[in-house]
Amino acid sequence: MSNRPPTAATLRRLERASGALATQAVARMDDELDWFRAMPADQRSWVTLVAQAGIASLVEWCRNPGRPPKLTGEVFGAAPRELVRAVALKQTVDLIKVTVEVLEAHVDSVAEPGDEDALHLAVLQFSREVAFATAHVYASFAENRGAWDARLEALVVDALVRGEQSEELSGRAAALGWAAMTPVVVLVGTTPAVDDPHAAVRRAARSLRSEVLVGVHAEQLVVVLGGQEDLESVAARVAEEFGRGPVVVGPVVDGLGRAGDSAAAALAGWRAARAWPEAPRPVRADALLAERALDGDPLARTALQERVALPLHAAGGEVLETVRAVLASGGNLEASARAIFVHPNTVRYRLKRAAELTGLSATDPRGSWTLQVALALALLDRDRTLWN
């Protein structure tokens, strides 16, 4: 087979036939590739343009065999960048393969007599160059998309930390592949002393099939988890990738649009967690309501009033009196019964009622602590509440 380029006459014939060859290539794609038939009309027209540009670039390359082909701009520049999103790399390889097969099938009819081998060789060499150019386009797109996703992810997490709640936030997350409605929870802890804290967190979350967003704010590592019903298990696994110190889990909310609520609770819990040195890791933000309220978190103070103080007040004086007596006695039920002149079983019954209302046990160290803080704050706020 000769190494000489095709003659000028052959190239002119190829140039004149480029439109028809591109049309035949697209028709063959339509026959052989199911996914191509399902593409929208505008995307199919882009593929036709790319095929025509590829044949035109082959002609120009043959006319100047010493010039390095600029295929990224000449061929793939014929279609918008959105085509890279719409057509996967493997699918693009299939498109190139079909186009090359059509070119090779028509070499004998396009080439001048005696020029067939030269055109065959040119098509073979050019198809290799197109393959390299395709890999470059997709690699560049992946690199740019990765950088863009990282910036977008940082914007989303930063917005949550600042308490922003808007439709734009959900739109940004959707661009990162998040579902519109999915349970979401936010974790806050110390950033680990590693080169890439994002990578380990992502691996841990995705190993449990969870969606994840990661952001670093000074010494704080903020992680958003979603896409799983059992987010508690995911949070426990991801917490292992944080730095030393407490890891606080905000409440689970019903979508990214409300993730700011989870983030606010987790951040407040992280700031107050040092007041509970023995806290589990991770610890729920709601388990730190007392510490958060003492640290000045208005959300925690309101939660203690609504979840603890007011339900006890509404239950009647006997339940509240019993809780106070048990707290004052350090959890001694017999001493509490004597102090309020009732049987110990009555004390037990009233404590059970109080636990049903508040979720807290007056005989449990953490429960009694939270009850004491809630009742103390209620007395301080009684001029502004129903408390009297």
Side-chain angles (χ1 to χ4, degrees):
M1 183 176 289
S2 173
N3 288 328
R4 67 173 178 80
T7 64
T10 292
L11 296 179
R12 285 194 297 270
R13 294 180 63 173
L14 178 61
E15 198 168 26
R16 287 194 297 270
S18 62
L21 290 173
T23 300
Q24 290 186 45
V26 172
R28 185 165 173 179
M29 295 171 195
D30 195 65
D31 289 338
E32 298 182 2
L33 305 174
D34 293 339
W35 60 265
F36 182 77
R37 286 196 298 273
M39 289 178 68
D42 59 339
Q43 294 178 6
R44 287 158 59 94
S45 67
W46 293 342
V47 173
T48 303
L49 290 175
V50 171
Q52 289 177 326
I55 298 172
S57 186
L58 167 61
V59 172
E60 184 61 27
W61 181 62
C62 290
R63 285 174 176 161
N64 300 278
R67 179 182 71 92
K70 299 177 181 178
L71 299 178
T72 301
E74 292 176 351
V75 178
F76 295 100
R81 296 288 291 176
E82 286 79 0
L83 188 61
V84 181
R85 295 178 184 269
V87 183
L89 177 58
K90 182 181 181 302
Q91 294 172 333
T92 302
V93 171
D94 290 339
L95 298 178
I96 293 171
K97 180 175 178 288
V98 170
T99 303
V100 171
E101 288 174 351
V102 169
L103 281 173
E104 290 181 331
H106 289 80
V107 162
D108 291 343
S109 61
V110 171
E112 288 286 322
D115 218 16
E116 294 86 353
D117 287 349
L119 186 55
H120 269 296
L121 181 59
V123 170
L124 178 63
Q125 292 174 333
F126 189 75
S127 64
R128 182 184 61 187
E129 298 294 339
V130 171
F132 284 128
T134 302
H136 175 74
V137 168
Y138 277 85
S140 297
F141 176 79
E143 182 179 355
N144 293 336
R145 178 59 189 266
W148 169 252
D149 284 356
R151 289 193 295 270
L152 193 58
E153 180 181 35
L155 287 173
V156 171
V157 175
D158 183 66
L160 293 177
V161 170
R162 290 186 285 104
E164 177 183 322
Q165 296 189 26
S166 65
E167 293 182 2
E168 183 180 359
L169 183 65
S170 297
R172 290 173 178 172
L176 292 169
W178 275 64
M181 291 298 295
T182 177
V184 170
V185 71
V186 178
L187 284 71
V188 177
T190 304
T191 304
V194 297
D195 292 335
D196 186 3
H198 299 69
V201 169
R202 287 196 181 93
R203 282 195 299 270
R206 289 170 180 167
S207 70
L208 297 176
R209 302 181 183 277
S210 173
E211 295 176 336
V212 60
L213 298 172
V214 188
V216 175
H217 290 258
E219 62 177 346
Q220 296 171 346
L221 181 65
V222 181
V223 177
V224 185
L225 300 173
Q228 275 282 3
E229 291 300 324
D230 186 13
L231 287 177
E232 184 176 341
S233 297
V234 181
R237 171 64 186 89
V238 170
E240 299 174 10
E241 306 302 332
F242 282 72
R244 298 181 63 182
V247 177
V248 180
V249 184
V252 176
V253 294
D254 59 8
L256 200 65
R258 293 194 55 211
D261 297 336
S262 184
L267 287 163
W270 186 76
R271 288 190 293 267
R274 63 177 179 269
W276 185 13
E278 299 82 16
R281 177 183 156 117
V283 60
R284 292 182 300 106
D286 282 357
L288 290 159
L289 283 176
E291 288 79 5
R292 287 167 53 193
L294 294 176
D295 194 44
D297 177 14
L299 294 176
R301 193 161 181 153
T302 299
L304 287 174
Q305 177 181 312
E306 294 177 348
R307 301 180 195 176
V308 181
L310 290 180
L312 288 177
H313 181 268
E318 291 179 348
V319 173
L320 180 58
E321 177 189 37
T322 301
V323 169
R324 281 179 165 158
V326 172
L327 294 176
S329 70
N332 188 313
L333 299 189
E334 287 73 16
S336 302
R338 289 193 298 270
I340 57 177
F341 306 105
V342 297
H343 193 276
N345 285 341
T346 302
V347 172
R348 293 186 180 91
Y349 171 79
R350 293 175 181 174
L351 289 183
K352 180 181 178 182
R353 175 63 178 153
E356 291 172 349
L357 292 170
T358 65
L360 300 169
S361 171
T363 58
D364 172 77
R366 284 297 300 176
S368 65
W369 160 244
T370 304
L371 285 165
Q372 289 182 65
V373 172
L375 295 177
L377 291 175
L379 289 173
L380 293 174
D381 291 343
R382 63 183 176 182
D383 291 337
R384 298 188 294 274
T385 69
L386 297 175
W387 195 270
N388 54 51

